[in-house]
Amino acid sequence: MEAAAEPGNLAGIRHIILVLSGKGGVGKSTISTELALALRHAGKKVGILDVDLCGPSIPRMFGAQGRAVHQCDRGWAPVFLDREQSISLMSVGFLLEKPDEAVVWRGPKKNALIKQFVSDVAWGELDYLVVDTPPGTSDEHMATIEALRPYQPLGALMVTTPQECTSVFSRGGGEELARLAGVPFLGSVPLDPELTRSLEEGHDFIREFPGSPTFAALTSIARRILDATPTCLP
């Protein structure tokens, strides 16, 4: 029997999207960041929940390192990234003394933190919550899935590099994986040095480089998600 979601801080979120990867270093956090920005530029109110305890990089990608989180009457208040409060962020990196280092806690402590993140962040009203999960299928990764299951996530976006063997410039691996799994293939995002630079400097690539093929790929993925999303709460 499935657990029912209790009313709380996720009650005002219309759709939850998990971003997954089979291993680290394939661009999962990059896609999480750019998907959130693309949805925001489409007029949606977006939150990003960073539970990648292996190396929480989302604050750096948004230029939000060192921002302080504080308690409110409903739990932790997220960090708002713009004056309009159209995009908000919560990351384990805000709670670490050295946010660039991986968490080396034992499994139960990690799992408890993830469950607290899911339940205790006061997001308010959001159209989308993008969840940047840990890579692979570790205990904390499974804890994230289980903690969010009662809230019926919209779906998961799997990020992978295109090669089947070793060549980083090969093609088709992700599309073939989607075909074998029987799930939609949302698109390929080409490498762009400007995207890397934007992430390192905490800039908004979606706004600054609309002529890039990478911009077209990212916005196309966001549009496919928007087109597949119900327009009202179930």
Side-chain angles (χ1 to χ4, degrees):
M1 181 176 179
E2 291 189 0
E6 296 180 1
N9 286 326
L10 295 184
I13 299 174
R14 291 177 178 268
H15 307 293
I16 300 172
I17 301 174
L18 294 95
V19 183
L20 318 174
S21 67
K23 62 178 181 177
V26 300
K28 173 179 56 62
S29 294
T30 295
I31 295 298
S32 297
T33 297
E34 299 305 325
L35 174 61
L37 289 171
L39 291 170
R40 192 273 298 268
H41 283 293
K44 303 302 180 181
K45 193 170 184 180
V46 184
I48 308 98
L49 178 62
D50 177 14
V51 291
D52 186 351
L53 307 184
C54 299
S57 57
I58 294 289
R60 174 178 55 81
M61 292 180 175
F62 280 101
Q65 309 100 306
R67 297 281 291 273
V69 296
H70 62 274
Q71 294 281 329
C72 64
D73 58 352
R74 291 183 292 121
W76 278 320
V79 171
F80 293 100
L81 301 174
D82 61 351
R83 291 181 179 178
E84 297 77 21
Q85 297 188 350
S86 63
I87 188 163
S88 52
L89 167 62
M90 176 55 75
S91 169
V92 68
F94 293 137
L95 307 179
L96 302 178
E97 292 184 6
K98 298 179 180 180
D100 292 332
E101 295 182 2
V103 173
V104 291
W105 299 335
R106 290 187 181 274
K109 190 174 181 180
K110 288 183 177 181
N111 295 347
L113 176 62
I114 288 171
K115 290 178 181 179
Q116 189 175 9
F117 260 56
V118 169
S119 62
D120 287 359
V121 180
W123 295 105
E125 299 289 328
L126 291 178
D127 294 305
Y128 293 91
L129 177 64
V130 178
V131 183
D132 186 34
T133 69
T137 54
S138 60
D139 285 346
E140 57 263 30
H141 179 274
M142 300 306 294
T144 305
I145 303 295
E146 290 302 316
L148 287 168
R149 190 188 302 276
Y151 302 97
Q152 299 179 335
L154 173 67
L157 191 155
M158 176 66 73
V159 180
T160 182
T161 48
Q163 71 275 16
E164 293 185 8
C165 303
T166 58
S167 173
V168 74
F169 299 106
S170 63
R171 301 179 58 185
E175 191 167 6
E176 177 65 10
L177 179 63
R179 187 188 67 80
L180 292 173
V183 297
F185 177 70
L186 298 182
S188 298
V189 179
L191 298 173
D192 189 331
E194 296 296 349
L195 175 58
T196 303
R197 186 176 297 112
S198 293
L199 292 168
E200 290 175 348
E201 298 175 356
H203 293 169
D204 187 342
F205 176 84
I206 297 292
R207 182 185 64 190
E208 295 183 353
F209 297 98
S212 167
T214 301
F215 167 89
L218 291 166
T219 54
S220 175
I221 290 171
R223 175 50 55 190
R224 293 192 66 175
I225 291 172
L226 289 167
D227 290 345
T229 299
T231 57
C232 59
L233 287 169

